[in-house]
Structure formats: structure tokens, C-alpha cells
Amino acid sequence: MHLVTTAAAAEPATGTAGWAAHLVDVLGGPGAGLAIALENLFPPLPSEVILPLTGFAAGQGVISLVSALFWTTLGSVVGAAALYGIGRVIGRERMYAVWGRLPLVKVSDLEKTEAWFQRHGTKAVLLGRMVPIFRSLISVPAGVERMPLPVFLSLTAVGSLVWNSVLVLAGYWLGDQWDLVETYVGVVSKVVLGAAVVAVAGYLVVRLRGRGRHREARPRVRQDG
């Protein structure tokens, strides 16, 4: 059975939806898992398209609902594990070396972030898997801080299962209107991204003002003659 991905059921959708639909058609559940693994590694691939589409495929009988949830969650864990590995390769020493060369930042800021992650890392990984954009990025600091791999994988699996279940089931229940999920989750993603941009901008403003005040406070050297 082939998956039809347009509301009009006339032709396969193009773009990300068409690509994901083709993977599911050809590979079944593992195809959905592969799509989600790649989505974790390349965040521009939207899970809000791939997961509801997978749910729609389950509703069409292309794959079973259990298979959809299993393979997409496994794909999430595999993708997150790859990013975790990248974080471990980078390591703390390289992170501090790179951070120290960046303008407008202080090593103390990184130390505070690291201390925060050491206290709240488990919650950050678990809940971060349910937040657009950060659901992929959270794996890197977990690797840098060398969170025990079994703990990381367990938290990632639970958080991913929750996120994937919501979107897959939404696509399953909405049927040929599965693309509505993308609309609503897309709004949330934009809000999260906007909040992150505002936070970074605010941080830079504070740093620039601090530098300006520091320069004004420097005593001027008096030159005689």
C-alpha cells in the first residue's frame, strides 16, 4: 500500500513530506526511524512534519501504530546518541579553549552553565527532548559533561517517546489533515526560537554595556609637559 500525503489524496507531497513518505513506503517503520534519526542530526528537518505523517501512514495501514512509535523513538535515540558522541569528542578542554576565544563572553559564564547542567542535567535532557529546537541540541552538552551513557539513553528514550507519541497520534487521529500539526507546532518552534534570540541579544547588550562602563571607569593617565 502506498502512502498518499495530500489532503486531496491526488498526488504525493513534495519536499520533506514527500521524502519522508517515500522512506515509509519503501522501508516501512525503519524508514520512519531513519527520517527521525536524520531530523535529530539536522534540525532543519522538521519532526512536526515527519512524525504526524508517520501517524497518518499508520492510520492508512502502511505500518502499524506500534511500529510507528517504536521506530521513531529508536531513531530519536540513535540521532541523539550521535550528537552525544560529538559532545564527548569535543570535551570540556576544547569547549573552554573555543569559548575563551569568543568575543563578549567570559569563562565564568561557561562555568556557571556547566554548574547548572551538573545540578539539573537529568531534567534538562528529559524535558529538553520535548521542546522544539532544543530537543536535538541538548544532547551535545550531555556529551561534553560526560553524563553516564545509560542514563542519557534512558532519559532520551522516555522524553522522545512522549514527544513522538503526541505527534504520531495526532497524525493518526487527524488523518488526511495531519499537516495541521505542523502549523501548530511550527508556531511553538518560532516562539522558542524567538525567545532564544531575545535571550542572546539581551546577553550581548549587557556585555557591551558592561564593557563600556569598565572603560569609562578606567583612570586616565595624566601626562605632564
Side-chain angles (χ1 to χ4, degrees), residues 41-57:
L41 293 170
F42 306 101
L45 292 175
S47 63
E48 58 266 29
V49 171
I50 299 170
L51 291 171
L53 177 60
T54 303
F56 174 55

Side-chain angles (χ1 to χ4, degrees), residues 10-211:
E11 58 181 357
T14 57
T16 302
W19 167 75
H22 178 70
L23 284 178
V24 175
D25 271 337
V26 174
L27 301 176
L34 175 60
I36 284 298
L38 293 174
E39 177 268 333
N40 277 261
L41 293 170
F42 306 101
L45 292 175
S47 63
E48 58 266 29
V49 171
I50 299 170
L51 291 171
L53 177 60
T54 303
F56 174 55
Q60 294 285 299
V62 177
I63 56 176
S64 70
L65 186 58
V66 172
S67 176
L69 293 174
F70 171 78
W71 285 106
T72 54
T73 299
L74 179 61
S76 295
V77 173
V78 170
L83 292 174
Y84 172 91
I86 291 173
R88 287 195 69 130
V89 169
I90 293 173
R92 294 180 69 253
E93 291 185 5
R94 288 192 183 93
M95 181 66 74
Y96 272 90
V98 172
W99 190 269
R101 296 190 183 98
L102 296 176
L104 302 178
V105 298
K106 295 181 178 179
V107 173
S108 60
D109 295 327
L110 183 56
E111 291 173 343
K112 291 175 184 177
T113 302
E114 186 177 27
W116 181 90
F117 193 88
Q118 289 173 351
R119 292 194 304 270
H120 306 288
T122 53
K123 290 181 286 187
V125 171
L126 178 62
L127 298 177
R129 294 300 305 173
M130 307 175 208
V131 179
I133 299 174
F134 291 105
R135 62 188 306 272
S136 294
L137 300 178
I138 194 62
S139 302
V140 177
V144 171
E145 294 301 321
R146 295 186 177 270
M147 175 181 284
L149 185 58
V151 174
F152 172 77
L153 293 178
S154 298
L155 293 170
T156 299
V158 173
S160 298
L161 179 60
V162 173
W163 172 262
N164 293 356
S165 295
V166 171
L167 271 65
V168 168
L169 289 173
Y172 182 82
W173 288 324
L174 286 170
D176 59 11
Q177 292 184 306
W178 61 269
D179 55 334
L180 289 176
V181 180
E182 178 188 3
T183 301
Y184 291 107
V185 178
V187 171
V188 176
S189 299
K190 290 176 182 177
V191 170
V192 172
L193 180 60
V197 170
V198 170
V200 171
Y203 172 85
L204 294 176
V205 168
V206 170
R207 278 283 173 262
L208 289 170
R209 286 181 176 177
R211 278 194 170 188

